[in-house]
Amino acid sequence: MIRDVFDHRVIEAAAADVRLARMEFDGAGRWLTSVGKGPSEPLAAEVWVFDEALARVLLVHHRWRGWVPRGGRVEPGETPREGGRREVFEETGIEVELLPEPAAATVRSYRSEWPATLGLSFVAIVDAAKPLVPESGQPAAWTPLDEDWASYFPEDASRVRQHAGWLRDGSAR
């Protein structure tokens, strides 16, 4: 169970980010309050890395999930924000600063036979001229937001586009 792996600081940080998230899907807040009452997987964090024009997003090609924003499992002892920043660096070589408001909180299973995982999606805006140093076997690429990309979670593209639009319009909370 998640409480066996993560300390109180990590659970509180995840709960705070769920409350701050611009979008919440799949009952993420309710799911987090039920942690400890049954089986659950570790937390997941991803980062929607946009270029400065908010016209492109940085995606990585995962071997079976297709093109996805940078992210992965939050390690014991790190908050979801710390995990998201670490994953971006490991998978692209870019160090990012996350915007204060998370983009989304979701509950999803990353494979049909796996239990649900709380996932937090954070946002960073970086200079697209920074050189990418992708992880071996996972190419990274800047993808125009007006183009589609093949992903295990097809609804993510519209969510990423919607958030970029809010940022462009200045309507992010």
Side-chain angles (χ1 to χ4, degrees):
M1 283 192 283
I2 200 167
R3 291 195 190 275
D4 296 335
V5 178
F6 295 101
D7 62 38
H8 183 70
R9 176 185 76 91
V10 172
I11 298 299
E12 288 302 314
D17 281 328
V18 168
R19 287 190 297 274
L20 285 173
R22 174 73 187 231
M23 299 179 278
E24 181 183 321
F25 301 100
D26 318 308
R30 283 190 319 276
W31 185 90
L32 189 59
T33 62
S34 71
V35 168
K37 297 176 184 168
S40 58
E41 281 296 300
L43 301 169
E46 68 180 11
V47 181
W48 300 351
V49 180
F50 295 109
D51 66 349
E52 292 170 316
L54 298 169
R56 296 181 293 169
V57 64
L58 182 58
L59 300 176
V60 173
H61 192 265
H62 185 272
R63 64 187 178 277
W64 55 269
R65 286 191 294 143
W67 288 98
V68 294
R70 293 315 348 118
R73 180 179 291 202
V74 175
E75 299 295 333
E78 70 182 0
T79 66
R81 286 177 179 277
E82 293 164 345
R85 290 186 72 228
R86 175 187 48 76
E87 288 286 349
V88 170
F89 182 73
E90 287 177 358
E91 297 176 6
T92 67
I94 296 176
E95 291 192 31
V96 297
E97 290 301 320
L98 304 179
L99 297 184
E101 178 186 73
T106 60
V107 175
R108 54 177 49 161
S109 178
Y110 288 87
R111 287 196 178 217
S112 60
E113 66 274 12
W114 291 0
T117 299
L118 175 71
L120 284 156
S121 301
F122 298 99
V123 177
I125 299 172
V126 302
D127 178 356
K130 287 185 177 186
L132 298 177
V133 182
E135 212 170 20
S136 178
Q138 285 192 323
W142 286 102
T143 303
L145 287 171
D146 60 358
E147 292 180 12
D148 287 327
W149 58 87
S151 175
Y152 188 73
F153 299 110
E155 67 278 7
D156 284 357
S158 65
R159 294 172 181 176
V160 169
R161 286 184 188 105
Q162 182 178 28
H163 199 77
W166 286 330
L167 292 170
R168 272 193 302 276
D169 298 342
S171 61
R173 286 188 283 183

